[in-house]
Short mmCIF file of all heavy atoms in Angstrom, two decimals:
data_model
loop_
_atom_site.label_atom_id
_atom_site.label_comp_id
_atom_site.label_asym_id
_atom_site.label_seq_id
_atom_site.Cartn_x
_atom_site.Cartn_y
_atom_site.Cartn_z
N ASP T 250 -15.21 23.78 -14.78
CA ASP T 250 -15.13 22.39 -14.36
C ASP T 250 -16.48 21.69 -14.52
O ASP T 250 -17.53 22.32 -14.41
CB ASP T 250 -14.69 22.31 -12.89
CG ASP T 250 -13.30 22.89 -12.66
OD1 ASP T 250 -12.45 22.77 -13.56
OD2 ASP T 250 -13.08 23.47 -11.57
N SER T 251 -16.43 20.40 -14.75
CA SER T 251 -17.64 19.61 -14.89
C SER T 251 -17.34 18.21 -14.37
O SER T 251 -16.35 17.98 -13.68
CB SER T 251 -18.09 19.56 -16.35
OG SER T 251 -17.17 18.77 -17.13
N ARG T 252 -18.18 17.26 -14.72
CA ARG T 252 -17.94 15.87 -14.31
C ARG T 252 -16.93 15.17 -15.22
O ARG T 252 -16.58 14.03 -14.98
CB ARG T 252 -19.25 15.10 -14.27
CG ARG T 252 -20.22 15.58 -13.18
CD ARG T 252 -21.51 14.78 -13.17
NE ARG T 252 -21.25 13.39 -12.83
CZ ARG T 252 -22.15 12.43 -12.95
NH1 ARG T 252 -23.35 12.71 -13.44
NH2 ARG T 252 -21.85 11.18 -12.63
N TRP T 253 -16.45 15.87 -16.22
CA TRP T 253 -15.41 15.33 -17.10
C TRP T 253 -14.03 15.69 -16.55
O TRP T 253 -13.80 16.82 -16.11
CB TRP T 253 -15.53 15.90 -18.51
CG TRP T 253 -16.69 15.38 -19.28
CD1 TRP T 253 -17.95 15.89 -19.32
CD2 TRP T 253 -16.69 14.25 -20.15
NE1 TRP T 253 -18.75 15.15 -20.15
CE2 TRP T 253 -18.00 14.14 -20.69
CE3 TRP T 253 -15.72 13.32 -20.55
CZ2 TRP T 253 -18.35 13.12 -21.59
CZ3 TRP T 253 -16.07 12.32 -21.45
CH2 TRP T 253 -17.38 12.23 -21.95
N ALA T 254 -13.10 14.74 -16.60
CA ALA T 254 -11.70 15.07 -16.38
C ALA T 254 -11.19 15.78 -17.61
O ALA T 254 -11.58 15.45 -18.74
CB ALA T 254 -10.89 13.79 -16.14
N ARG T 255 -10.32 16.79 -17.43
CA ARG T 255 -9.77 17.52 -18.59
C ARG T 255 -8.24 17.42 -18.59
O ARG T 255 -7.60 17.62 -17.56
CB ARG T 255 -10.19 18.99 -18.54
CG ARG T 255 -11.68 19.20 -18.83
CD ARG T 255 -12.04 20.66 -18.82
NE ARG T 255 -11.89 21.25 -17.49
CZ ARG T 255 -11.56 22.53 -17.26
NH1 ARG T 255 -11.29 23.34 -18.27
NH2 ARG T 255 -11.48 22.98 -16.03
N TRP T 256 -7.70 17.12 -19.76
CA TRP T 256 -6.25 16.95 -19.96
C TRP T 256 -5.81 18.00 -20.97
O TRP T 256 -6.36 18.10 -22.07
CB TRP T 256 -5.99 15.55 -20.49
CG TRP T 256 -4.59 15.22 -20.92
CD1 TRP T 256 -3.81 15.91 -21.81
CD2 TRP T 256 -3.81 14.08 -20.52
NE1 TRP T 256 -2.60 15.28 -21.98
CE2 TRP T 256 -2.57 14.15 -21.20
CE3 TRP T 256 -4.05 13.00 -19.68
CZ2 TRP T 256 -1.59 13.18 -21.05
CZ3 TRP T 256 -3.06 12.05 -19.53
CH2 TRP T 256 -1.84 12.15 -20.21
N TYR T 257 -4.80 18.78 -20.60
CA TYR T 257 -4.27 19.81 -21.51
C TYR T 257 -2.76 19.68 -21.62
O TYR T 257 -2.06 19.67 -20.60
CB TYR T 257 -4.63 21.21 -21.00
CG TYR T 257 -3.90 22.31 -21.74
CD1 TYR T 257 -4.15 22.57 -23.09
CD2 TYR T 257 -2.94 23.10 -21.08
CE1 TYR T 257 -3.47 23.58 -23.76
CE2 TYR T 257 -2.26 24.12 -21.75
CZ TYR T 257 -2.54 24.34 -23.09
OH TYR T 257 -1.86 25.34 -23.77
N ASN T 258 -2.27 19.57 -22.85
CA ASN T 258 -0.84 19.57 -23.13
C ASN T 258 -0.36 20.98 -23.43
O ASN T 258 -0.92 21.64 -24.30
CB ASN T 258 -0.50 18.68 -24.34
CG ASN T 258 -0.35 17.22 -23.96
OD1 ASN T 258 -1.33 16.48 -23.98
ND2 ASN T 258 0.86 16.81 -23.62
N ALA T 259 0.66 21.42 -22.71
CA ALA T 259 1.28 22.73 -22.96
C ALA T 259 2.69 22.49 -23.49
O ALA T 259 3.31 21.46 -23.21
CB ALA T 259 1.32 23.55 -21.69
N PRO T 260 3.22 23.44 -24.27
CA PRO T 260 4.62 23.33 -24.69
C PRO T 260 5.57 23.24 -23.48
O PRO T 260 5.17 23.48 -22.35
CB PRO T 260 4.85 24.63 -25.48
CG PRO T 260 3.48 25.05 -25.92
CD PRO T 260 2.56 24.63 -24.82
N LYS T 261 6.80 22.88 -23.76
CA LYS T 261 7.83 22.67 -22.73
C LYS T 261 7.58 21.43 -21.90
O LYS T 261 8.02 21.31 -20.75
CB LYS T 261 7.99 23.91 -21.84
CG LYS T 261 8.41 25.16 -22.59
CD LYS T 261 8.60 26.33 -21.64
CE LYS T 261 9.01 27.59 -22.40
NZ LYS T 261 9.18 28.74 -21.50
N GLY T 262 6.83 20.48 -22.50
CA GLY T 262 6.66 19.19 -21.86
C GLY T 262 5.83 19.21 -20.59
O GLY T 262 6.16 18.54 -19.61
N ILE T 263 4.72 19.95 -20.60
CA ILE T 263 3.84 20.06 -19.42
C ILE T 263 2.48 19.46 -19.72
O ILE T 263 1.91 19.71 -20.79
CB ILE T 263 3.67 21.53 -19.00
CG1 ILE T 263 5.02 22.21 -18.77
CG2 ILE T 263 2.81 21.63 -17.73
CD1 ILE T 263 4.93 23.71 -18.55
N VAL T 264 1.94 18.69 -18.78
CA VAL T 264 0.56 18.19 -18.87
C VAL T 264 -0.19 18.66 -17.62
O VAL T 264 0.23 18.42 -16.50
CB VAL T 264 0.51 16.67 -18.97
CG1 VAL T 264 -0.93 16.17 -18.78
CG2 VAL T 264 1.04 16.19 -20.32
N PHE T 265 -1.32 19.34 -17.86
CA PHE T 265 -2.22 19.73 -16.79
C PHE T 265 -3.42 18.79 -16.80
O PHE T 265 -3.91 18.42 -17.89
CB PHE T 265 -2.76 21.15 -16.99
CG PHE T 265 -1.71 22.23 -16.94
CD1 PHE T 265 -1.15 22.74 -18.10
CD2 PHE T 265 -1.29 22.75 -15.72
CE1 PHE T 265 -0.20 23.74 -18.06
CE2 PHE T 265 -0.34 23.75 -15.66
CZ PHE T 265 0.22 24.25 -16.83
N MET T 266 -3.89 18.43 -15.62
CA MET T 266 -5.12 17.64 -15.55
C MET T 266 -5.99 18.12 -14.41
O MET T 266 -5.49 18.36 -13.29
CB MET T 266 -4.81 16.16 -15.37
CG MET T 266 -6.03 15.27 -15.59
SD MET T 266 -5.64 13.51 -15.45
CE MET T 266 -4.39 13.36 -16.69
N LEU T 267 -7.27 18.33 -14.69
CA LEU T 267 -8.25 18.72 -13.68
C LEU T 267 -9.35 17.67 -13.64
O LEU T 267 -9.91 17.32 -14.68
CB LEU T 267 -8.85 20.10 -14.02
CG LEU T 267 -7.87 21.27 -14.08
CD1 LEU T 267 -8.61 22.56 -14.41
CD2 LEU T 267 -7.11 21.43 -12.76
N ARG T 268 -9.65 17.18 -12.43
CA ARG T 268 -10.62 16.10 -12.28
C ARG T 268 -11.60 16.43 -11.16
O ARG T 268 -11.22 16.98 -10.13
CB ARG T 268 -9.90 14.78 -11.96
CG ARG T 268 -8.79 14.46 -12.92
CD ARG T 268 -8.12 13.14 -12.61
NE ARG T 268 -8.95 12.01 -12.97
CZ ARG T 268 -8.54 10.73 -12.94
NH1 ARG T 268 -7.31 10.45 -12.53
NH2 ARG T 268 -9.34 9.76 -13.29
N PRO T 269 -12.90 16.11 -11.35
CA PRO T 269 -13.89 16.38 -10.30
C PRO T 269 -13.72 15.41 -9.13
O PRO T 269 -13.24 14.29 -9.29
CB PRO T 269 -15.21 16.13 -11.02
CG PRO T 269 -14.89 15.08 -12.04
CD PRO T 269 -13.49 15.41 -12.50
N ASP T 270 -14.14 15.87 -7.95
CA ASP T 270 -14.25 14.93 -6.83
C ASP T 270 -15.67 14.94 -6.30
O ASP T 270 -16.52 15.67 -6.80
CB ASP T 270 -13.21 15.22 -5.74
CG ASP T 270 -13.47 16.49 -4.94
OD1 ASP T 270 -14.59 17.03 -5.01
OD2 ASP T 270 -12.55 16.94 -4.23
N ASN T 271 -15.92 14.13 -5.30
CA ASN T 271 -17.26 14.00 -4.74
C ASN T 271 -17.47 14.90 -3.52
O ASN T 271 -18.40 14.68 -2.75
CB ASN T 271 -17.53 12.53 -4.36
CG ASN T 271 -16.38 11.88 -3.62
OD1 ASN T 271 -15.23 12.04 -4.01
ND2 ASN T 271 -16.67 11.15 -2.57
N TYR T 272 -16.63 15.93 -3.38
CA TYR T 272 -16.75 16.87 -2.28
C TYR T 272 -16.92 18.30 -2.78
O TYR T 272 -16.70 19.26 -2.03
CB TYR T 272 -15.52 16.77 -1.36
CG TYR T 272 -15.43 15.43 -0.66
CD1 TYR T 272 -14.61 14.42 -1.17
CD2 TYR T 272 -16.19 15.17 0.47
CE1 TYR T 272 -14.53 13.18 -0.55
CE2 TYR T 272 -16.11 13.93 1.11
CZ TYR T 272 -15.28 12.94 0.59
OH TYR T 272 -15.22 11.72 1.21
#
Side-chain angles (χ1 to χ4, degrees):
D250 298 327
S251 69
R252 293 180 65 191
W253 288 89
R255 289 182 294 149
W256 173 307
Y257 169 66
N258 276 90
K261 299 182 180 179
I263 305 172
V264 169
F265 296 98
M266 193 178 302
L267 299 180
R268 308 182 74 172
D270 71 15
N271 45 315
Y272 295 98

